Amino acid sequence: MTLRMTRRAFCGAMAGTAGLAALPVRATGPQTLTARVAKAQIAPPKYAPTEVWTYDGTLPGPLLRVAQGGRVTRRLVNELPVPTSIHWHGFRIDNAMDGVAGLTQEAVPPGGAFDYDFAVPDAGTYWYHAHTNSFVQVARGLSGALIVEEAEAPEVDRDEVLVLDDWLLNPEDAQFMQPFGHPMSLSHGGRLGNLLGTNGTFDFAREVRANERLRLRLINASNARIFVLRLAGLDGWTVALDGMPLPAPEPVEAELILAPAQRIDLIVDVTAEDGETAALVRFDDDDQWRPQARFPVAGKASATQRDGPAALPPNPNMAVPGIDSARRLDMAIQGGAMGRMSGAMMNGRSMGFREMAGQGQFWALSGQVGITDTPFASLERGETVRMKLTNDTAFAHAMHLHGMHFRQVADDGTLGPMRDTILSYPDEPLEIAFVADNPGKWLFHCHMLGHAASGMTAWINVS
Ligand code: C2O
Ligand code: CU
């Protein structure tokens, strides 16, 4: 068996199939989320269903919706053969509910349960996913969307949540390729799938009408794939990033880049005509644009197009004041294949790169491999922090801060949109700033999950 099957093997095989699968949607979620093994038809129908790990048996997990200012209350019931926990990605919540096994809670053992209960301050598009051995558990399917509704939602004809993912399957039997942490993927770009899809299927489609206005909530739930996307037969605006509203809608003119864990909220109008197919298209590894989600047009919603949408109402506490007098931190992203790192500190001792690699560790953040006893930084509650990220590796990394959102600081000192995950490119230093207003132990890590598991994880303390 070879680990080098390409996605093309699947694409070729799927030509001529037209299977559609509907996203299981529940308006009100259950009061429990049960992590369990299930089967899902991710691949074209001629393939066997894939054994996946799920919440409540669906891939992705149940779509949860809650009103802004409301509470998320879910009991995680673990019916998996291994311990697990749930992280509520992008939520500015109580640290005890953050779901990071080994830092904010003990992992929930098989047969065990854990009650998550927290208030949600911010409206927007968020998601939840396993945070115990994430590089395995998220790859197996443990993730879902969590939408927080604005008190006054924008006027759209429909609101579609699109969970983008990729799966690395063995084309022989459509089961997950193992191991999940192959040294080759850990030390390079991460686990990239050979089958791409949306909402748990390789060929996601939703019928729309001409001139309909849709809100599309894009979530990248993949382990490591950076999606490069365009609109076809759709005219649109970006209205929020990582859940947080932009001050004004931005027309989509160029490609949209969606790194692992990032979200983009779009408002789009269907410009394709009756009988045509609009689509969200992605740029594939073989330089082809292919549909990531199809929107066949049947009928007309109205004769004319509408005016551009208004901005979403802002969330509370989006300002990052005082960046001139802010505390400065420097974080260097290091290691990996073709990197310049000769070694780093691991478990309190200095190690050469070879020795690290022998233990499955390939990356470091500012000279430290993985979680340390003492935090990367101890911050005072309420202080503003500027953190410079220098990427000394040969790869892009999707750097994610738990518990607080940040803004990128441009060279001229202006602040970018508020985000929780930012893509850092090799040799392009960038700076982020945030107010450390949420007390607790918060991870800062790469959301290429194999990278996080092989060294690229740090934490900060806010007290
Ligand atoms: Cu979405 Cu620490 O992760
Ligand atoms: Cu990374």
Side-chain angles (χ1 to χ4, degrees):
M1 192 177 70
T2 166
L3 284 167
R4 306 206 131 245
M5 304 303 282
T6 64
R7 187 171 34 70
R8 235 168 297 181
F10 265 103
C11 291
M14 77 174 74
T17 62
L20 300 186
L23 166 69
V25 175
R26 282 177 225 191
T28 51
Q31 292 307 297
T32 55
L33 276 175
T34 302
R36 62 180 175 86
V37 178
K39 290 207 185 269
Q41 190 66 45
I42 312 173
K46 68 177 223 180
Y47 292 92
T50 305
E51 185 176 296
V52 292
W53 289 6
T54 67
Y55 297 112
D56 291 357
T58 72
L59 188 82
L63 171 56
L64 307 181
R65 285 185 183 265
V66 59
Q68 184 173 19
R71 294 189 82 81
V72 171
T73 309
R74 286 290 180 288
R75 168 169 293 185
L76 165 63
V77 177
N78 186 8
E79 291 182 0
L80 296 172
V82 297
T84 192
S85 61
I86 302 180
H87 171 57
W88 310 89
H89 183 113
F91 286 96
R92 303 193 283 180
I93 55 172
D94 183 359
N95 191 241
M97 296 289 121
D98 201 44
V100 179
L103 189 71
T104 66
Q105 69 167 95
E106 290 301 313
V108 181
F114 186 91
D115 287 327
Y116 291 98
D117 180 10
F118 52 90
V120 283
D122 300 313
T125 301
Y126 301 90
W127 64 303
Y128 59 97
H129 62 78
H131 217 304
T132 303
N133 257 333
S134 320
F135 74 104
V136 176
Q137 297 194 3
V138 175
R140 285 187 184 273
L142 287 171
S143 69
L146 203 173
I147 304 304
V148 185
E149 317 257 16
E150 298 89 8
E152 292 192 24
E155 262 196 46
V156 294
D157 297 311
R158 52 175 86 221
D159 183 323
E160 294 286 346
V161 179
L162 303 177
V163 181
L164 281 53
D165 208 343
D166 68 352
W167 302 277
L168 184 57
L169 304 182
N170 180 345
E172 307 276 312
D173 60 5
Q175 303 308 303
F176 286 119
M177 201 78 91
Q178 302 208 24
F180 285 87
H182 194 277
M184 182 63 123
S185 69
L186 292 181
S187 61
H188 289 70
R191 182 179 172 96
L192 295 168
N194 52 6
L195 180 67
L196 285 73
T198 297
N199 294 343
T201 175
F202 74 98
D203 183 26
F204 176 84
R206 259 287 177 281
E207 203 169 89
V208 297
R209 290 176 299 156
N211 289 329
E212 237 181 350
R213 175 161 284 184
L214 327 174
R215 179 173 185 167
L216 301 181
R217 301 171 181 268
L218 315 184
I219 302 173
N220 184 349
S222 75
N223 271 44
R225 180 170 299 274
I226 301 165
F227 282 91
V228 178
L229 303 162
R230 264 191 203 163
L231 302 177
L234 302 167
D235 244 9
W237 297 263
T238 300
V239 293
L241 294 173
D242 295 351
M244 294 293 176
L246 298 183
E250 275 176 23
V252 178
E253 271 145 7
E255 273 99 50
L256 298 163
I257 307 291
L258 191 67
Q262 289 186 325
R263 286 89 65 213
I264 300 178
D265 278 51
L266 301 172
I267 290 186
V268 302
D269 292 332
V270 178
T271 54
E273 313 253 326
D274 192 0
E276 296 180 344
T277 297
L280 176 71
V281 294
R282 65 163 188 268
F283 192 65
D284 268 344
D285 306 340
D286 59 356
D287 292 358
Q288 299 289 315
W289 291 91
R290 290 198 180 82
Q292 177 68 28
R294 295 187 301 113
F295 301 100
V297 184
K300 237 187 212 302
S302 67
T304 52
Q305 263 189 267
R306 277 170 273 200
D307 294 339
L312 296 175
N315 281 323
N317 300 318
M318 289 183 67
V320 181
I323 59 159
D324 291 336
S325 52
R327 182 198 296 227
R328 308 242 178 182
L329 299 173
D330 272 303
M331 181 168 281
I333 303 170
Q334 303 156 322
M338 301 166 286
R340 295 179 276 259
M341 189 173 79
S342 56
M345 294 291 290
M346 185 165 145
N347 300 326
R349 132 182 132 71
S350 148
M351 259 189 211
F353 186 75
R354 247 165 219 275
E355 193 183 353
M356 278 175 59
Q359 299 187 29
Q361 300 292 303
F362 299 94
W363 308 90
L365 291 174
S366 287
Q368 297 283 350
V369 180
I371 280 276
T372 45
D373 292 340
T374 50
F376 169 73
S378 291
L379 307 176
E380 259 166 61
R381 188 174 180 180
E383 76 175 316
T384 298
V385 182
R386 283 171 80 148
M387 183 152 75
K388 189 168 172 192
L389 301 179
T390 314
N391 183 342
D392 298 330
T393 78
F395 297 89
H397 303 284
M399 303 308 295
H400 168 51
L401 176 63
H402 284 218
M404 288 157 288
H405 277 58
F406 51 77
R407 291 178 185 272
Q408 186 170 357
V409 187
D411 288 340
D412 65 0
T414 52
L415 296 176
M418 208 174 201
R419 313 207 61 140
D420 60 48
T421 305
I422 193 164
L423 195 53
S424 158
Y425 295 98
D427 298 320
E428 287 183 22
L430 62 89
E431 196 178 20
I432 59 171
F434 62 97
V435 181
D437 55 5
N438 200 356
K441 298 174 171 181
W442 302 109
L443 283 189
F444 183 80
H445 66 89
C446 179
H447 223 287
M448 274 82 173
L449 297 172
H451 293 174
S454 57
M456 215 180 273
T457 302
W459 66 285
I460 60 169
N461 192 56
V462 180
S463 58

